[in-house]
Amino acid sequence: MKTITSVTVFNDAVGLRLSASYAEVEEDTGRITADNKRFDRVVTDPEARAAAEDLFRHAFELLDGAEREA
């Protein structure tokens, strides 16, 4: 089975990009057969783009709060 271990969303020259890392694990033994593999995709799905934009807005709100706490 494959399991996602990290997800990053960022803007670059080609648009909104999603980068994810994953591991492959044998289900019956739990043995890790591959680790820290990665793939990148440009986010084109409107719902996924909206969700990413919500996370960016939330991060900005947290940033403003962090500056007040410092």
Side-chain angles (χ1 to χ4, degrees):
M1 92 178 134
K2 293 180 182 177
T3 183
I4 297 290
T5 56
S6 72
V7 175
T8 304
V9 179
F10 55 97
N11 288 299
D12 69 1
V14 298
L16 185 65
R17 186 181 296 227
L18 180 140
S19 177
S21 299
Y22 66 97
E24 295 180 19
V25 180
E26 288 182 357
E27 289 187 51
D28 55 337
T29 65
R31 186 175 151 262
I32 298 170
T33 57
D35 198 11
N36 204 27
K37 294 185 122 191
R38 181 179 142 179
F39 66 89
D40 296 282
R41 299 288 186 277
V42 174
V43 181
T44 58
D45 177 76
E47 289 182 25
R49 290 186 66 82
E53 289 166 4
D54 285 344
L55 285 172
F56 277 103
R57 274 191 292 279
H58 183 65
F60 278 116
E61 291 170 5
L62 293 174
L63 177 63
D64 287 343
E67 287 177 346
R68 284 192 296 268
E69 294 171 6

